[in-house]
Amino acid sequence: MSNLIYYVPLSIILVALILAPLVFAFVISIVRSDYLRSLIIIMIAAVLAISSLILFARVTITHQIIHYAPGLIDWNLLVTIADFGLMAMFIRMGVRRKSALILVFAVIQTIILAWVEFGPKHTEMAYPPIFIDWLSIVMTLIVSIVGSVVAIYSLPYMREHERHQNLTISKQPQFFRTLLLFLGAMNGMVLSGNLLWIYFFWEITTLCSFCLISHDETEESLRNATRALWMNMVGGVGFITGIALIQFNKLPMDASRLLELVRTGNEAHIIALLILPMACLCFAGFTKAAQMPFQSWLLGAMVAPTPVSALLHSSTMVKAGVYLIIRFAPIFRHTALSEMVAIVGAFSFITGAMLAIGQSNAKKVLAYSTISNLGLIIACAGLNTPLALAAAVMLIIFHAVSKGLLFMATGVVDQSIHSKDIEDMQGLWARMPLTSLIMVIGILSMLLPPFGVLIAKLAAIESSIQNPLVMVMLVIGSTLTVVFWTKWMGRMLATNPQADGRKRENLPALYAGTLAFLACGAVILSLFIKPILENLVLPAVANYYNVAGMEMTPTVLSAPWLMIFLVIALSVLAPTFFNHLRSSQIKPAYLCGEQISSRAATAQFLTVADGTAEMTVRSYYFEKVTDESFHVKWVTIVATLLIVILFGAVYLWK
Amino acid sequence: MNILQKSRAKSPWILHYDAGACNGCDIEILACLTPVYDIERFGMVNVGNPKHADVLLVTGTCNKRSARVLKNLYDQMPDPKVVVAVGACALSGGIFHECYNVLQGVDGTVPVDVYVPGCAPRPEAIMEGVMMALEKMNKR
Amino acid sequence: MEIINIFFVIVIAPVIGGLLFGLDRKLTARLQKRMGPPILQPFYDLFKLFGKGRIASNQFQLISVSVYIACTILSLILLATGQDLLVLLFVLALGHIMLILGGFSVRSPYSQIGSQREILQLMAYEPLLVFMVIGTYLKTGSFLVSNLMTGSYKPLLISLPAFLLTQIIVMAIKLHKSPFDISASHHAHQELVRGIYTEFSGAQLALIEMAHWYELILLMGFIALLWQTNLVIGGLIAFACFLAVILLDNISARLTWKWMIRFAWSFGVGISVANLAAIYILR
């Protein structure tokens, strides 16, 4: 078996992971048959998942980082041409959307790109552009598995979505084209080492996100997509500036070479040259990961169909931002930049959680929670110790699964009750038992033991102790996180007594399958956190810092997790299965004895003139304290200041 | 007397419902809570929630409107439970006996275990009534 | 040794906890010039509740109570067997959140508002506990209780004095003592009836009551950790804190949740951070 895996040629795996989605993207855009489209998507999903697993197995068995130069044609030239093609598309979009911002940033990028490509080039060895280490593997697995699950989930979702729109021509071909393009581009980005390649794929994801957000072509979605585009193009300008600076300083344009230089060469000299470009790349990462003050594009993105949000928030797009920062984290270790990155991340962590408390729109809560969690990941990258990076990589994995799950479940609920408002989800536990159970599992996996996100968060707190400011923000932020999640779960669970037991729920097979897959994934991954850490996360980090395993195993892992898991599972299962309430034991809620009947399963009570009134309950949203428009204002100002300070610190540090 | 019965006797949690009293009896019940009488020394607690209560203390004339509420409260109490009717009105309608809207006494609505007469009964009598009710509960 | 510890936790802890709560009621009564119930009163209440017939509104209530007490006992076991303090805190939080969800699961205005406020109580005390754990980490370089007990460190209280105060606040919030009896209170009824506990009855309520006893021992254990060199002294300090909380309960009135959050997060977090800052600077 292991031999078999080894003899699958690397080129085929790469073609399957990067080129196949790109090619099939164009195939699917001309396929008009629902059946054929489903077939292609499921096939591609399977291919992606299997190839990523093979790649993982291969690297695990050989313990070798892969450098690879694809043959046949001059791929570098192809990327260069495609890059300018992309720029032309951006300019066209700027003109079509009449957005001066897009136009300006596109032109700036084109000019800098032209300088990088055609300007004075220093003699440089040609490095193999494909660079695969454990971090790439982690990302590929997430993109290929979670991303594929989202793609499959989109099939029934988009069918239902279009049923409500009365379209004459289905827009599904375009939708799935963009989706596949997105997955291919993400895989391309995480598997390349050449900065220009990374930049190319990075810009494709920007373009894809624009297309997906504007998919419904309502005025609001177009407006929000335009905002997403220009904000991400600000990041693009940062990215290409970083590349130009590296070129200017006559440093290699290759991630693996840069990491190697820092690890072996005369560090101080090289780091001094690299720190400003790195700051630019981090800035690009902030925009893509929707860190404050760039949060508004991700919030605007929720107008898109729910699978888009599931994709953007869990496995692609925002993860590209944190990936970029983590990828280069060891280079700016022990610099002022690192400190500032940690502070910017921690600031987003705490403010994202704070803003989520006041929201009643489920997708908005999820969006703020994503911003918050990405802030945590970036804070870990900024803390920049082996332990912190291990925490960051774990967070990427577990967050992808849980957040994808939550968005997908929200989409299912939305299509059933036609509302995204958490208040409308009241009593969902009785109406949609399966979906709400999955949702509760998803939420619990975001914030409580024994689930992975919490374990990673504890590791993050542990590693933040060297940086008191970040530590305080992480502790307070974690507390705020608990508030909005618990409120949400509480709303779903608030039911009237059901004397006749819970109803069964009929979910379409593809919904039930994908949701159950991710829900089980969240539980099983948490159960096997130790092997995951040892086989996937620690090699990724060890390779970075040249350290042994002990130094980065978080101490929280030494806790008796198996016992904790067992006790919790037992305490949940025992009353579920062995302690059933008889219907005579079920009593209505206490309403001062004023409920209309002692048996009724409603919360109605008698009021004046023998009228009946329904008892209504609602969550606290602390409107006066958590007023969004007010907080967003000062958060934007402070976050902008932090980024200015970041660049100032980098400048002074030199 | 086994440990459960002893515990029941020593920990009566009381729900007080005023079915339409003049408040005379209610004031006497509240007097029981004061340091002078201090019913907590017998473990009695005024819980105000049928789901936690063992003893339902009813005062006042039960009328057609309050009977429904009284029934609901009684239904929401977990077994074993006892009812103590406090004061003349709760026993028989009292001076409101002849009124068109009054049901004569609460025992038409819920099964009463102990009747504490008086207008209003003294706090000692109320406490005695609760004690008797508990004895009755344990003998059941 | 482990087995003895675990046995001690499961069997002896609730006995001590129950007695302490009995003492609480007795002392409170004496402070109000009443006789008060016997010290064993909590046990009578508990046995009686276990003997009540079962009523509930839904199955989830049973699950929530079961997880609540399991997690509380589990976190006490983690403390007794010298495990990771940070993990312990979040296991405790899991139990607490499940209880809150149990309160939410019934559409009763009382338990709903009680649960909302319970989230705020959780929010108020959680950072204080985490900061204390971080304080011990800074002094000992580990989150493990066993490490703390076996290492030769000076009593933590000397370098972490602020955390004695914050632990008193935590205890008052966690036990729902005035001025923090916002989501529910232990005695006398209020406008929320019994707040978050309103819809639990019989054996479920008894289990919640028992979980409180475990919780009290856990909180006192935290305080005792501050004098880890001699747990007898630590225990005495914890007991003194418990008495302080009872006194505070009797001399103060209930305040609003806004005040609670503001107080816990400005004063509590303030002195915690000041103490941590002092350690960073003096290190």
Side-chain angles (χ1 to χ4, degrees), chain A residues 126-330:
Chain A
Y127 306 108
I130 299 289
F131 163 53
I132 304 170
D133 66 350
W134 278 272
L135 184 62
S136 319
I137 298 283
V138 170
M139 291 299 296
T140 312
L141 283 172
I142 292 171
V143 172
S144 306
I145 296 178
V146 181
S148 302
V149 170
V150 175
I152 295 174
Y153 163 87
S154 314
L155 291 168
Y157 189 95
M158 290 314 288
R159 220 171 295 148
E160 182 72 17
H161 184 72
E162 294 207 332
R163 218 163 51 79
H164 292 288
Q165 285 181 325
N166 305 321
L167 293 177
T168 44
I169 306 168
S170 166
K171 288 201 299 193
Q172 287 188 52
Q174 290 98 302
F175 180 84
F176 284 98
R177 176 201 65 200
T178 322
L179 206 70
L180 287 186
L181 205 59
F182 213 142
L183 294 181
M186 274 304 290
N187 271 336
M189 198 194 109
V190 299
L191 295 176
S192 340
N194 185 327
L195 284 177
L196 278 169
W197 285 42
I198 298 181
Y199 171 73
F200 166 65
F201 288 119
W202 176 276
E203 291 297 307
I204 297 185
T205 62
T206 300
L207 182 69
C208 288
S209 70
F210 172 83
C211 296
L212 287 176
I213 296 168
S214 64
H215 177 77
D216 282 349
E217 287 182 331
T218 60
E219 199 178 321
E220 193 189 11
S221 67
L222 283 172
R223 196 174 55 235
N224 290 349
T226 310
R227 185 169 55 204
L229 187 58
W230 78 252
M231 278 196 173
N232 277 302
M233 296 203 56
V234 176
V237 171
F239 200 131
I240 193 71
T241 313
I243 294 180
L245 284 169
I246 291 175
Q247 165 114 324
F248 183 76
N249 288 330
K250 299 197 168 47
L251 289 163
M253 298 264 272
D254 185 89
S256 67
R257 281 290 297 155
L258 285 175
L259 288 166
E260 225 163 273
L261 273 181
V262 171
R263 207 162 12 172
T264 55
N266 45 349
E267 291 188 19
H269 162 71
I270 290 172
I271 290 173
L273 284 179
L274 266 176
I275 182 129
L276 189 57
M278 284 303 136
C280 292
L281 293 188
C282 287
F283 175 77
F286 293 156
T287 58
K288 197 137 262 203
Q291 295 300 286
M292 313 284 177
F294 303 107
Q295 84 288 5
S296 61
W297 80 257
L298 193 62
L299 287 165
M302 65 177 202
V303 299
T306 307
V308 175
S309 309
L311 199 67
L312 294 185
H313 288 253
S314 67
S315 50
T316 61
M317 198 66 184
V318 294
K319 289 287 154 64
V322 293
Y323 166 77
L324 192 70
I325 296 177
I326 291 178
R327 169 57 82 206
F328 294 108

Side-chain angles (χ1 to χ4, degrees), chain A residues 46 68 86 109 136 150 188 220 324 359 455 530 584 606 631:
Chain A
Y68 179 77
L86 263 179
Q109 280 193 59
S136 319
V150 175
E220 193 189 11
L324 192 70
Q359 307 304 324
I455 297 174
K530 216 163 188 171
S584 64
L606 272 183
H631 285 297

